[in-house]
Amino acid sequence: MPVVLYYVWLRILLRTIEELVFLLCVLRLLQSFFRGPSEQHIDSLLGQALFGDGAAALVIGTDLDESIEKPLYQLMSASQARVPESENAIALHLREDGLTFHLSKDVPTLIANNLENILVDNFKHLGISDWNSIFWITHPGGRAILDKIEEKLGLDKEKMKESRYVLSEYGNMTSPCVLFVLDEMRKRSIEEGKTTTGKGSDFGVLFGFGPGVTVETVVLRSVPLIS
């Protein structure tokens, strides 16, 4: 299950039950993808080169006690959307020799062409339409995906810096990726002396991408950093 779906589920519970605290743990081991190279499955070989193992965890809760708790981000909303005409663009198949992976060359374009509408739907209630004014926690599914999003939305190069770093250091770890990027955003905000955990921005977006093709979206609010 994509990690953002856990956020949706947790947010529903947190809205209905007071004083709840959850420890969310995400682990992804990809040894089932490994197999010998084959001319018939070049896309599977590329997937093996791109993906990596990873694990991450975070605490989500309500009714914050600021005397003993220090929040990092606030979850404002969460949603899921399916990219039109993308049914076979990302596919996993369980076969006798393990999982095979298929990634269409059209995935970066499919995702980038549909993000504007998703952003509008999620940020219109906040009156935000300048996508360079928010911080970005983007699933680093691959360099081409990040490049295409930047190009399509006219984003500053700085917006994908954390996602590109995580991709270069760890590869695509699927579900844990966005939590690695989120932590990198937090650390760099502190190191660079920014005013918030969103590198100075108050609001941000967390994007997860997966088979479907689906786009998982979480609107985040940063917290002030006190020197």
mmCIF file of all heavy atoms in Angstrom, residues 99-117:
data_model
loop_
_atom_site.group_PDB
_atom_site.id
_atom_site.type_symbol
_atom_site.label_atom_id
_atom_site.label_comp_id
_atom_site.label_asym_id
_atom_site.label_seq_id
_atom_site.Cartn_x
_atom_site.Cartn_y
_atom_site.Cartn_z
ATOM 1 N N LEU A 99 8.960 -11.226 -8.926
ATOM 2 C CA LEU A 99 8.252 -10.070 -9.456
ATOM 3 C C LEU A 99 8.971 -9.483 -10.663
ATOM 4 O O LEU A 99 10.195 -9.345 -10.652
ATOM 5 C CB LEU A 99 8.127 -8.986 -8.385
ATOM 6 C CG LEU A 99 7.082 -9.188 -7.291
ATOM 7 C CD1 LEU A 99 7.251 -8.141 -6.196
ATOM 8 C CD2 LEU A 99 5.672 -9.108 -7.865
ATOM 9 N N THR A 100 8.217 -9.153 -11.688
ATOM 10 C CA THR A 100 8.772 -8.422 -12.822
ATOM 11 C C THR A 100 8.185 -7.017 -12.816
ATOM 12 O O THR A 100 7.052 -6.803 -12.359
ATOM 13 C CB THR A 100 8.446 -9.104 -14.162
ATOM 14 O OG1 THR A 100 7.017 -9.163 -14.329
ATOM 15 C CG2 THR A 100 9.030 -10.501 -14.197
ATOM 16 N N PHE A 101 8.951 -6.083 -13.316
ATOM 17 C CA PHE A 101 8.571 -4.678 -13.253
ATOM 18 C C PHE A 101 8.541 -4.095 -14.651
ATOM 19 O O PHE A 101 9.459 -4.313 -15.453
ATOM 20 C CB PHE A 101 9.590 -3.919 -12.394
ATOM 21 C CG PHE A 101 9.356 -2.439 -12.333
ATOM 22 C CD1 PHE A 101 8.380 -1.919 -11.509
ATOM 23 C CD2 PHE A 101 10.118 -1.564 -13.095
ATOM 24 C CE1 PHE A 101 8.155 -0.557 -11.448
ATOM 25 C CE2 PHE A 101 9.902 -0.204 -13.045
ATOM 26 C CZ PHE A 101 8.921 0.306 -12.215
ATOM 27 N N HIS A 102 7.473 -3.351 -14.935
ATOM 28 C CA HIS A 102 7.365 -2.675 -16.228
ATOM 29 C C HIS A 102 7.105 -1.194 -15.990
ATOM 30 O O HIS A 102 6.192 -0.819 -15.258
ATOM 31 C CB HIS A 102 6.226 -3.248 -17.064
ATOM 32 C CG HIS A 102 5.889 -2.415 -18.265
ATOM 33 N ND1 HIS A 102 6.699 -2.365 -19.384
ATOM 34 C CD2 HIS A 102 4.852 -1.563 -18.514
ATOM 35 C CE1 HIS A 102 6.170 -1.538 -20.272
ATOM 36 N NE2 HIS A 102 5.048 -1.038 -19.769
ATOM 37 N N LEU A 103 7.925 -0.350 -16.610
ATOM 38 C CA LEU A 103 7.781 1.098 -16.506
ATOM 39 C C LEU A 103 7.797 1.690 -17.907
ATOM 40 O O LEU A 103 8.813 1.635 -18.603
ATOM 41 C CB LEU A 103 8.920 1.701 -15.673
ATOM 42 C CG LEU A 103 8.913 3.218 -15.492
ATOM 43 C CD1 LEU A 103 7.699 3.649 -14.680
ATOM 44 C CD2 LEU A 103 10.198 3.676 -14.803
ATOM 45 N N SER A 104 6.683 2.250 -18.327
ATOM 46 C CA SER A 104 6.578 2.847 -19.652
ATOM 47 C C SER A 104 7.393 4.134 -19.730
ATOM 48 O O SER A 104 7.506 4.880 -18.749
ATOM 49 C CB SER A 104 5.117 3.142 -19.979
ATOM 50 O OG SER A 104 5.014 3.962 -21.125
ATOM 51 N N LYS A 105 7.949 4.402 -20.903
ATOM 52 C CA LYS A 105 8.695 5.642 -21.118
ATOM 53 C C LYS A 105 7.788 6.863 -21.041
ATOM 54 O O LYS A 105 8.264 8.004 -20.930
ATOM 55 C CB LYS A 105 9.391 5.609 -22.478
ATOM 56 C CG LYS A 105 8.448 5.493 -23.662
ATOM 57 C CD LYS A 105 9.201 5.446 -24.971
ATOM 58 C CE LYS A 105 8.262 5.272 -26.164
ATOM 59 N NZ LYS A 105 7.264 6.356 -26.279
ATOM 60 N N ASP A 106 6.480 6.659 -21.074
ATOM 61 C CA ASP A 106 5.525 7.766 -21.031
ATOM 62 C C ASP A 106 5.173 8.199 -19.613
ATOM 63 O O ASP A 106 4.450 9.185 -19.433
ATOM 64 C CB ASP A 106 4.230 7.368 -21.753
ATOM 65 C CG ASP A 106 4.454 7.080 -23.235
ATOM 66 O OD1 ASP A 106 5.310 7.757 -23.840
ATOM 67 O OD2 ASP A 106 3.782 6.179 -23.775
ATOM 68 N N VAL A 107 5.646 7.486 -18.596
ATOM 69 C CA VAL A 107 5.262 7.789 -17.216
ATOM 70 C C VAL A 107 5.596 9.229 -16.811
ATOM 71 O O VAL A 107 4.736 9.925 -16.239
ATOM 72 C CB VAL A 107 5.897 6.782 -16.239
ATOM 73 C CG1 VAL A 107 5.777 7.269 -14.798
ATOM 74 C CG2 VAL A 107 5.210 5.427 -16.375
ATOM 75 N N PRO A 108 6.806 9.738 -17.059
ATOM 76 C CA PRO A 108 7.094 11.123 -16.669
ATOM 77 C C PRO A 108 6.120 12.132 -17.265
ATOM 78 O O PRO A 108 5.648 13.043 -16.570
ATOM 79 C CB PRO A 108 8.522 11.345 -17.193
ATOM 80 C CG PRO A 108 9.125 9.984 -17.213
ATOM 81 C CD PRO A 108 8.003 9.075 -17.626
ATOM 82 N N THR A 109 5.790 11.970 -18.549
ATOM 83 C CA THR A 109 4.861 12.879 -19.208
ATOM 84 C C THR A 109 3.451 12.728 -18.657
ATOM 85 O O THR A 109 2.746 13.725 -18.419
ATOM 86 C CB THR A 109 4.857 12.642 -20.723
ATOM 87 O OG1 THR A 109 6.172 12.857 -21.234
ATOM 88 C CG2 THR A 109 3.894 13.584 -21.423
ATOM 89 N N LEU A 110 3.016 11.488 -18.429
ATOM 90 C CA LEU A 110 1.678 11.247 -17.888
ATOM 91 C C LEU A 110 1.505 11.923 -16.531
ATOM 92 O O LEU A 110 0.474 12.564 -16.266
ATOM 93 C CB LEU A 110 1.432 9.740 -17.755
ATOM 94 C CG LEU A 110 1.173 8.957 -19.038
ATOM 95 C CD1 LEU A 110 1.245 7.460 -18.768
ATOM 96 C CD2 LEU A 110 -0.196 9.336 -19.620
ATOM 97 N N ILE A 111 2.495 11.786 -15.675
ATOM 98 C CA ILE A 111 2.414 12.391 -14.345
ATOM 99 C C ILE A 111 2.450 13.907 -14.435
ATOM 100 O O ILE A 111 1.595 14.606 -13.874
ATOM 101 C CB ILE A 111 3.553 11.865 -13.448
ATOM 102 C CG1 ILE A 111 3.328 10.385 -13.119
ATOM 103 C CG2 ILE A 111 3.644 12.685 -12.164
ATOM 104 C CD1 ILE A 111 4.464 9.740 -12.347
ATOM 105 N N ALA A 112 3.438 14.444 -15.147
ATOM 106 C CA ALA A 112 3.618 15.897 -15.215
ATOM 107 C C ALA A 112 2.410 16.599 -15.818
ATOM 108 O O ALA A 112 2.021 17.691 -15.369
ATOM 109 C CB ALA A 112 4.876 16.229 -16.011
ATOM 110 N N ASN A 113 1.793 15.986 -16.822
ATOM 111 C CA ASN A 113 0.658 16.621 -17.496
ATOM 112 C C ASN A 113 -0.592 16.695 -16.632
ATOM 113 O O ASN A 113 -1.526 17.436 -16.956
ATOM 114 C CB ASN A 113 0.331 15.879 -18.792
ATOM 115 C CG ASN A 113 1.330 16.159 -19.892
ATOM 116 O OD1 ASN A 113 2.158 17.062 -19.774
ATOM 117 N ND2 ASN A 113 1.265 15.382 -20.956
ATOM 118 N N ASN A 114 -0.627 15.924 -15.543
ATOM 119 C CA ASN A 114 -1.829 15.887 -14.712
ATOM 120 C C ASN A 114 -1.659 16.535 -13.339
ATOM 121 O O ASN A 114 -2.640 16.650 -12.591
ATOM 122 C CB ASN A 114 -2.279 14.432 -14.531
ATOM 123 C CG ASN A 114 -2.926 13.861 -15.781
ATOM 124 O OD1 ASN A 114 -4.122 14.028 -16.007
ATOM 125 N ND2 ASN A 114 -2.128 13.205 -16.615
ATOM 126 N N LEU A 115 -0.454 16.962 -12.999
ATOM 127 C CA LEU A 115 -0.218 17.509 -11.661
ATOM 128 C C LEU A 115 -0.856 18.874 -11.446
ATOM 129 O O LEU A 115 -1.275 19.200 -10.326
ATOM 130 C CB LEU A 115 1.282 17.591 -11.370
ATOM 131 C CG LEU A 115 1.990 16.290 -10.982
ATOM 132 C CD1 LEU A 115 3.349 16.599 -10.382
ATOM 133 C CD2 LEU A 115 1.164 15.466 -10.016
ATOM 134 N N GLU A 116 -0.941 19.678 -12.498
ATOM 135 C CA GLU A 116 -1.501 21.027 -12.336
ATOM 136 C C GLU A 116 -2.936 20.958 -11.805
ATOM 137 O O GLU A 116 -3.288 21.654 -10.844
ATOM 138 C CB GLU A 116 -1.482 21.764 -13.670
ATOM 139 C CG GLU A 116 -2.053 23.182 -13.603
ATOM 140 C CD GLU A 116 -0.992 24.231 -13.313
ATOM 141 O OE1 GLU A 116 0.102 24.137 -13.882
ATOM 142 O OE2 GLU A 116 -1.287 25.140 -12.516
ATOM 143 N N ASN A 117 -3.759 20.109 -12.402
ATOM 144 C CA ASN A 117 -5.146 19.987 -11.947
ATOM 145 C C ASN A 117 -5.230 19.466 -10.515
ATOM 146 O O ASN A 117 -6.089 19.897 -9.729
ATOM 147 C CB ASN A 117 -5.935 19.059 -12.876
ATOM 148 C CG ASN A 117 -6.167 19.666 -14.243
ATOM 149 O OD1 ASN A 117 -6.155 20.886 -14.402
ATOM 150 N ND2 ASN A 117 -6.370 18.818 -15.244
#
